[in-house]
C-alpha cells in the first residue's frame, strides 16, 4: 500500500507541466461595518472573499477598486474583525445553482438552502448576470396567461413573456394580490424572489400563498431587509438566473419579485458607500441604471420556445407615482397595475385603479369583442370619476348628459367586476364572458 502511494505521488511530481499555485491573500486595511478595504489582493469584481478566519470571520464580495485598494461589501452580520485580518478568495464570481433540483426549495441570496430540507443535489449552473441575448432572439407576446384575477384577466390581460409591475404604496394589498396570482397562474414553474421584505412576511408568504401544489413547482429566493445590500442584489440576480435556466429548457415560467424598489434601495446603499453622487431623491445613477438590466432578462425565447412572464412589485414611496423607481420601471415594463389607497379605504379589494393601469400587449392577445367590452367599462369608469364630486354633492341633474347617466347606472356593475375575494379564482374565459355579457352591448 505504501509503495503504491509513494509511486503515484512521485509520478505526479514528475509531470512536466506541474507548477505550484500560490494562495492569494490580502490584508484588511479599513472596515466601517459595511464597506471594507483590502491591500495586497487582486481579484475580479464579484469574487466572494473570506475575511478573518472561518469561525469568527465573515464573507464579503468585491465591488470595486480605489487607490490601489480592493473594495469589498460585507455579506454577513457583525464580526469581531481586527486590523490586518487576512482576506482570501473563497469563490469564483457569478454562478447560481439552477434546475429541477431547486423545485419546492427555499434558498437565500447566496444560494444556501434555508428550509431545513438538507443540501441541494444535482443542480446545474448558470451565470448570475445571465447570458446576453440579441433583441431578435426575443419572441413577441401572443398568448394570454390566466392569473385567476377577474379584473386583470378581463381588463389588463397578461401575456406569456410580458413584464408587468404592481405599483402601490405600503399596505395597499400588493402581497395579497401576488398570492392570488401564484395560486391560480397557469405556469410550469414559479420562481419567487422575496427581496428586502420583512422576515415575518417571508414565512407568512410561504405558508399562506405558496402552499399545496404551487409549492411543488415553485422556487423561492428569500433575502429579508436586514441582510447585506450586496446579498439583496445577488438574490435578485439569482431569481432571474433560475428563471432563465428553466426558460432555456422550454418551460413556461412565472417570475415574481417583491420588490423591485428594495433592489434599488440596495443599489443606492452600495453606490453611496462607494462615494457616487446622489441625484434624484437620493438615488445615485447606478441604482436606477441597474433596473433595466434586471427587467430585460425576462421575456420569450424564440429558440427554446420558453418564456418568463415577470411580475414585479414597485413600492411608491409616499404614494408618489413620480418616484424615480416607479417612473423608471413604468418606462421599461410592458404594463403596470396601479393599486389605489382610496379604493382600499372603501373596501374594494383588490384595489386596482383601472384608469392609470395598462397592459401594453392586451390588444395582441385578446379578441375584438373582449377588447371592445374592456374599453366600454373603462369609458364608463372614467366618466364617473370625472363627475364623481358633482354627483355626490347633488349638483348634477339626471338627464343633463346621457354619458354621465349611463356611467352612474353602470358604476355598481363596474365595482362588482373589480372586487374579488382573496380565495376566489376567476378563469380568463369566465372573466371575458362576464365582461362581454355586461358591457359588450354598449
Amino acid at each position: 500500500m505504501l509503495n503504491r502511494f509513494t509511486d503515484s505521488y512521485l509520478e505526479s511530481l514528475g509531470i512536466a507541466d506541474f507548477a505550484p499555485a500560490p494562495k492569494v491573500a490580502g490584508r484588511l486595511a479599513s472596515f466601517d461595518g459595511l464597506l471594507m478595504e483590502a491591500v495586497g489582493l487582486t481579484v475580479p469584481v464579484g469574487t466572494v472573499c473570506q475575511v478573518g478566519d472561518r469561525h469568527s470571520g465573515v464573507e464579503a464580495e468585491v465591488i470595486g477598486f480605489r487607490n490601489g485598494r480592493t473594495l469589498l461589501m460585507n455579506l454577513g452580520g457583525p464580526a469581531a474583525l481586527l486590523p490586518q485580518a487576512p482576506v482570501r478568495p473563497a469563490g469564483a464570481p457569478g454562478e447560481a445553482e439552477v434546475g429541477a433540483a431547486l423545485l419546492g426549495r427555499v434558498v437565500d441570496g447566496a444560494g444556501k438552502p434555508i428550509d431545513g430540507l438538507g443540501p441541494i443535489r444535482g443542480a446545474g449552473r448558470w451565470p448570475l448576470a445571465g447570458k446576453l441575448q440579441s433583441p431578435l432572439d426575443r419572441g413577441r407576446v401572443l398568448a394570454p396567461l390566466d392569473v385567476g384575477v377577474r379584473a386583470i384577466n378581463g381588463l389588463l390581460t397578461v401575456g406569456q413573456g410580458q413584464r408587468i409591475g404592481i405599483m402601490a404604496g405600503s399596505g395597499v394589498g400588493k402581497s395579497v394580490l401576488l398570492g392570488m396570482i401564484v395560486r391560480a397562474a397557469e405556469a410550469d414553474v414559479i420562481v419567487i424572489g422575496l427581496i428586502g421584505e420583512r422576515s415575518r412576511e417571508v414565512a407568512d408568504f410561504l405558508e399562506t400563498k405558496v402552499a399545496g401544489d404551487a409549492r411543488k413547482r415553485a422556487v423561492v429566493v428569500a433575502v429579508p431587509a436586514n441582510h447585506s445590500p450586496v446579498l439583496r442584489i445577488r438574490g435578485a440576480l439569482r431569481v432571474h438566473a433560475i428563471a432563465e435556466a428553466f426558460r432555456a429548457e422550454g418551460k413556461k415560467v412565472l417570475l415574481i419579485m417583491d420588490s423591485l424598489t428594495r433592489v434599488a434601495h440596495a443599489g443606492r446603499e452600495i453606490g453611496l458607500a462607494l462615494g457616487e453622487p446622489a441625484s434624484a431623491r437620493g438615488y445615485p445613477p447606478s441604482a436606477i441604471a441597474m433596473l433595466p438590466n434586471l427587467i430585460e432578462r425576462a421575456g420569450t425565447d424564440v429558440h427554446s420556445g420558453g418564456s418568463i412572464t415577470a411580475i414585479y412589485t414597485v413600492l411608491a414611496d409616499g404614494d408618489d407615482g413620480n418616484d424615480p423607481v416607479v417612473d423608471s420601471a413604468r418606462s421599461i415594463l410592458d404594463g403596470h397595475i396601479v393599486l389605489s389607497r382610496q379604493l382600499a379605504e372603501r373596501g374594494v379589494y383588490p384595489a386596482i385603479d383601472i384608469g392609470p393601469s395598462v397592459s401594453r400587449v392586451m390588444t395582441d392577445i385578446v379578441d375584438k369583442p373582449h377588447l371592445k367590452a374592456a374599453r366600454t367599462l373603462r369609458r364608463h369608469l372614467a366618466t364617473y370619476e370625472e363627475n364623481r364630486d358633482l354627483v355626490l354633492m347633488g349638483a348634477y341633474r339626471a338627464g343633463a348628459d346621457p354619458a354621465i347617466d349611463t356611467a352612474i347606472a353602470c358604476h355598481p356593475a363596474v365595482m362588482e367586476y373589480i372586487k374579488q375575494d382573496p380565495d376566489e379564482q376567476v378563469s380568463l374565459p369566465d372573466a371575458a364572458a362576464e365582461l362581454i355579457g355586461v358591457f359588450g352591448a354598449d
Side-chain angles (χ1 to χ4, degrees), residues 307-391:
S307 64
I308 299 176
T309 305
I311 299 178
Y312 303 95
T313 64
V314 185
L315 177 65
D317 291 332
D319 291 343
D320 184 6
N322 295 319
D323 179 84
V325 178
V326 176
D327 194 47
S328 178
R330 187 167 47 223
S331 66
I332 305 164
L333 293 166
D334 301 322
H336 50 273
I337 300 170
V338 179
L339 302 186
S340 167
R341 191 175 299 277
Q342 288 74 22
L343 286 176
E345 290 171 352
R346 296 180 207 161
V348 178
Y349 289 100
I352 299 175
D353 193 351
I354 301 299
S357 302
V358 66
S359 173
R360 297 180 181 175
V361 303
M362 184 174 175
T363 55
D364 298 327
I365 57 177
V366 300
D367 53 27
K368 290 184 178 179
H370 182 173
L371 191 62
K372 179 182 177 183
R375 288 174 175 170
T376 299
L377 185 149
R378 283 178 169 274
R379 184 174 68 250
H380 291 331
L381 182 59
T383 302
Y384 181 86
E385 292 297 332
E386 288 173 2
N387 299 276
R388 177 184 176 84
D389 293 340
L390 292 176
V391 174

Side-chain angles (χ1 to χ4, degrees), residues 116 139 179 192 215 217 274 332 348 396 417:
I192 302 171
R215 183 67 177 270
R217 56 191 173 105
L274 288 172
I332 305 164
V348 178
Y396 174 74
Y417 189 83

Side-chain angles (χ1 to χ4, degrees), residues 61-103:
E61 180 180 333
V62 177
I63 60 172
F65 308 98
R66 179 191 296 154
N67 299 328
R69 294 187 173 190
T70 301
L71 306 180
L72 305 97
M73 189 72 77
N74 186 4
L75 292 178
L81 297 176
L82 295 173
Q84 302 301 311
V87 182
R88 301 183 179 90
E95 279 195 330
E97 296 78 13
V98 299
L102 275 74
L103 293 176

